[in-house]
Amino acid sequence: MADPSAADHESVPEDITEAAVDEAIAEAGGDAREAVRALLHDVANLAADRERFVSRGYVRSRFADLDVVKLA
C-alpha cells in the first residue's frame, strides 16, 4: 500500500521548499499557528480579490466558490 503522505508531497509545487516553509514560520516569530493564520488571511484576501476582479462570465463557474475563512 502506498504511503499517503508521499502522494501529498508529489502535488506540492517545486517552488515551495522547506526553506520557504521555515521562512514563513520565522516571519511569524516561530509560531506555526500564527504562520498558518497569516497564510489563511492571505488566501482569504486572494479569494476576495478574485471575486471582485474576475468576471463570472469569463470564468463560467468552472471554479467552485472558495470558502473564505473569516478571521477575527
Side-chain angles (χ1 to χ4, degrees), residues 3 5 21 27-28 31-32 38 49 51 54-55:
D3 180 14
S5 63
V21 172
E27 286 179 15
D31 184 352
D49 286 348
E51 289 298 314
V54 176
S55 164

Side-chain angles (χ1 to χ4, degrees), residues 18-52:
E18 290 298 315
V21 172
D22 291 340
E23 184 179 337
I25 294 171
E27 286 179 15
D31 184 352
R33 291 183 61 85
E34 187 60 34
V36 169
R37 184 176 287 110
L39 293 170
L40 288 173
H41 181 266
D42 291 346
V43 168
N45 283 336
L46 290 170
D49 286 348
R50 183 196 75 149
E51 289 298 314
R52 283 194 310 265

